[in-house]
Amino acid sequence: MSQDHDQKTITVSVRVWRQAQGEKGGRFVEYEVADTPLEASFLEMLDILNESLVEKGEDPIAFESDCREGICGTCCLVVDGLPHGPSQCTTCQLQMRNFEPEAKITIEPFSTGAFPVIKDLIVDRSSLDRVIQAGGYITVHSGPKPEPNSVPIEHEIMEDALDASACIGCGACVAACPNGSASLFTSAKIHHLALLPQGQPERNTRVKKMVEAMDDEGFGSCRNYAECQASCPKGISIKYIGRMNSDYIKATVLDTDRRGSMHAT
Amino acid sequence: MKKISQLYSTSVGKKLLVAVTGAIMYGFVVGHMLGNLKAFAGPSALDQYAEMLRQIGQAFLGNGTFLWIARIVLIVAVIVHVITVIQLVQRNSRAKPTRTVRRRNASTLAAKWMAISGTLILIFIVVHIAQFTLGWFTPHAAGTEGFVHGAVYSNLWGAFQLWWVALFYVAMMAMVCMHVYHGAWSMCQTLGLDAPDRNAAIRGAAAAIAIALFVGFSAVPISMLTNSIQSPTDDSSMTEAFEPDGSSESSRSKEGAG
């Protein structure tokens, strides 16, 4: 932050977790990244580092990114011990001007019990996809669709559902949780559907299947630390976890399944 | 039964059991604290209150039956609470981040200390029952009565004249205070009672009850240690200036305590 106005570049040293594909363990390797432009993003700094590694004939650092606009949820780095780094945004939105000159930055993968490391900084987050597959959808009939405005939705409820649907599935909540729980992700995915009329028919089976899938994937349980909420780049509230719990209890204890379980077998 | 086993098979269901058993114990702890305040009404008031607890439902259950039902419910609640938590902890230790991830200081100290405070409370429950219910472990100050079944006030007095017993109880009550502060709020979240518009009120109520429990429970050992309430031997003389040395003399000369 205390950059000299005349200074246009920054030199930092990074400690990066390197882990070869198919291997269990890894180690930290230190690199110096000299004269990175201040307007560069954090991932562009890694691009610059990778270019120099390729030029030297070394293996570039493997990391994930896609849109680099903070909307796709692909980038996932633990920067200085914090998922997505010090600011509450995705890793790609982290800027080099956020760092002090000569800063030593530690970069690690989002690795938890349910997110095994594939290589270097890339983790396997397909466990989140399988939680979605278990019930994060609505079943619609084929053929003519009703006129959308014929289903009125109260504004507040719509906003609430949209807040839940802001989840980009990056997995920062899992990486931030001391228990590696995916409760924030799962509850957001349940409630952007459960709050709306279209999500009602499968509401009970959805919450049961998704909670069971979350457990099957080996995620931990929620202990209400609220660390996930503090790390979520989309600012999703833990209120959805409370709602997931009450919905799950209603679906299991009261067993009020309105249309019966639907299996696509 | 099928529903319970279905609930128990998932982490959310397990947490529900932890919340419900926690709520049972929470109710007991609040009642216990309020009952303890009878000590300030004098030795005989506390002893009569203790005897009254045995007599609840006497008319149709017989003496002490209700007390045993309550005890069994509480013992089962403790066992279910502890076993379920251990299973959740095992799951969590497999799922936790494999690299060191810093916290953003969202979690409270009470939340981080749940395992520590919970373990200490479990040890405390064993010590406390051995000391004041069963009378197996009865440290008491020289010159006070030893343990006598039913002589609640005198038993407390003898123990809390020892500074280390009083300190142990006050320290453990601090653990209870921390545990129930996070526990009560966490219970509301687990049962899905929490909502943004109620969150502040629930947090506030959890904190207020936790502090009330600490103050209420600590009042008896502290006031007995500092001799600021009646000694068990001068029950009728509420207005009389109290002299600790004199009372020790007289309690030694008396057999049993009221």
Side-chain angles (χ1 to χ4, degrees):
Chain A
M1 295 297 178
S2 61
Q3 300 293 343
D4 193 332
H5 278 291
D6 300 330
Q7 207 181 350
K8 295 278 189 280
T9 61
I10 183 173
T11 297
V12 293
S13 72
V14 290
R15 265 174 87 232
V16 183
W17 181 257
R18 302 302 306 261
Q19 183 169 340
Q21 194 157 5
E23 277 184 23
K24 284 268 173 221
R27 66 201 169 93
F28 280 109
V29 181
E30 272 197 53
Y31 301 97
E32 192 172 273
V33 192
D35 303 328
T36 307
L38 269 182
E39 62 265 30
S41 74
F42 192 75
L43 297 183
E44 282 166 342
M45 180 273 290
L46 287 177
D47 290 337
I48 293 167
L49 171 60
N50 270 350
E51 265 176 49
S52 73
L53 289 177
V54 171
E55 276 170 20
K56 280 190 268 181
E58 290 178 36
D59 190 21
I61 299 159
F63 67 92
E64 276 189 288
S65 76
D66 192 5
C67 74
R68 299 206 178 187
E69 289 181 333
I71 53 168
C72 77
T74 310
C75 56
C76 55
L77 301 178
V78 175
V79 180
D80 284 336
L82 296 171
H84 289 316
S87 5
Q88 199 179 21
C89 59
T90 55
T91 314
C92 63
Q93 297 298 291
L94 190 59
Q95 304 294 321
M96 288 316 291
R97 60 171 177 267
N98 296 353
F99 293 91
E100 299 286 333
E102 309 300 323
K104 287 191 187 302
I105 308 165
T106 306
I107 309 172
E108 293 162 273
F110 269 20
S111 93
T112 74
F115 288 171
V117 175
I118 297 174
K119 187 185 177 186
D120 295 343
L121 302 172
I122 299 181
V123 293
D124 181 1
R125 287 174 291 177
S126 58
S127 45
L128 293 184
D129 301 336
R130 289 188 290 273
V131 172
I132 297 276
Q133 282 163 11
Y137 50 79
I138 56 165
T139 305
V140 291
H141 63 82
S142 55
K145 297 286 170 284
E147 205 280 315
N149 290 328
S150 65
V151 185
I153 301 166
E154 200 186 320
H155 180 74
E156 305 300 318
I157 292 172
M158 185 191 71
E159 288 290 342
D160 211 0
L162 282 173
D163 286 348
S165 71
C167 173
I168 52 174
C170 64
C173 47
V174 182
C177 178
N179 295 338
S181 169
S183 291
L184 190 65
F185 166 84
T186 311
S187 64
K189 292 298 176 196
I190 288 170
H191 273 89
H192 81 272
L193 299 174
L195 285 164
L196 297 177
Q198 292 85 349
Q200 297 313 307
E202 291 142 321
R203 185 169 181 163
N204 290 325
T205 44
R206 178 184 304 116
V207 67
K208 276 202 251 181
K209 284 181 183 173
M210 288 179 79
V211 165
E212 282 160 16
M214 179 175 82
D215 282 349
D216 292 344
E217 293 299 333
F219 291 107
S221 72
C222 175
R223 281 180 64 188
N224 305 313
Y225 288 116
E227 292 290 341
C228 51
Q229 179 179 270
S231 283
C232 177
K234 297 295 163 187
I236 292 173
S237 162
I238 55 167
K239 70 183 177 187
Y240 297 111
I241 300 180
R243 287 182 181 164
M244 172 178 75
N245 293 338
S246 76
D247 261 25
Y248 178 79
I249 293 163
K250 277 181 207 151
T252 313
V253 179
L254 306 179
D255 205 12
T256 51
D257 202 342
R258 285 184 237 179
R259 65 162 11 179
S261 189
M262 292 227 328
H263 296 289
T265 46
Chain B
M1 210 56 213
K2 186 168 164 273
K3 283 175 186 172
I4 289 176
S5 72
Q6 204 182 347
L7 269 178
Y8 200 76
S9 66
T10 62
S11 59
V12 175
K14 280 199 175 78
K15 283 188 57 63
L16 173 67
L17 285 174
V18 175
V20 170
T21 51
I24 294 169
M25 291 187 273
Y26 194 56
F28 165 75
V29 165
V30 170
H32 189 351
M33 186 275 284
L34 294 173
N36 281 10
L37 296 179
K38 281 273 181 206
F40 292 98
S44 54
L46 185 68
D47 292 0
Q48 279 161 16
Y49 168 73
E51 186 52 34
M52 184 278 289
L53 290 179
R54 292 181 187 280
Q55 290 164 358
I56 297 175
Q58 193 181 18
F60 55 97
L61 289 169
N63 204 14
T65 315
F66 176 82
L67 187 71
W68 269 107
I69 293 170
R71 280 172 173 170
I72 289 164
V73 168
L74 285 168
I75 289 167
V76 170
V78 170
I79 292 168
V80 172
H81 195 78
V82 171
I83 290 176
T84 315
V85 164
I86 289 171
Q87 288 181 344
L88 286 171
V89 166
Q90 284 171 338
R91 154 178 287 280
N92 296 344
S93 68
R94 285 194 298 272
K96 71 174 191 237
T98 44
R99 305 229 46 81
T100 324
V101 171
R102 277 198 288 149
R103 289 168 189 255
R104 285 181 200 256
N105 292 326
S107 36
T108 58
L109 185 71
K112 290 184 218 167
W113 276 39
M114 283 308 268
I116 300 169
S117 56
T119 311
L120 289 173
I121 291 167
L122 191 62
I123 295 167
F124 169 75
I125 292 170
V126 175
V127 172
H128 182 54
I129 290 173
Q131 186 175 3
F132 288 130
T133 308
L134 301 168
W136 291 348
F137 165 72
T138 56
H140 57 277
T144 57
E145 294 296 328
F147 183 85
V148 180
H149 274 283
V152 181
Y153 195 95
S154 148
N155 292 342
L156 292 173
W157 182 270
F160 291 139
Q161 290 293 305
L162 293 168
W163 67 269
W164 57 270
V165 177
L167 181 70
F168 174 70
Y169 271 75
V170 173
M172 286 301 134
M173 287 312 114
M175 291 295 119
V176 170
C177 172
M178 279 173 76
H179 199 82
V180 300
Y181 166 58
H182 183 72
W185 177 75
S186 199
M187 176 176 76
C188 291
Q189 175 80 351
T190 301
L191 296 175
L193 304 173
D194 198 23
D197 52 340
R198 294 194 287 264
N199 200 351
I202 290 173
R203 280 259 186 191
I209 295 172
I211 291 167
L213 284 173
F214 177 70
V215 172
F217 272 128
S218 302
V220 175
I222 288 174
S223 43
M224 285 188 172
L225 181 68
T226 56
N227 292 327
S228 43
I229 56 171
Q230 273 184 292
S231 121
T233 46
D234 49 52
D235 191 11
S236 52
S237 52
M238 292 283 282
T239 50
E240 223 176 78
F242 172 67
E243 285 169 38
D245 291 342
S247 75
S248 314
E249 288 293 323
S250 60
S251 66
R252 225 178 278 152
S253 61
K254 255 175 126 182
E255 286 220 7

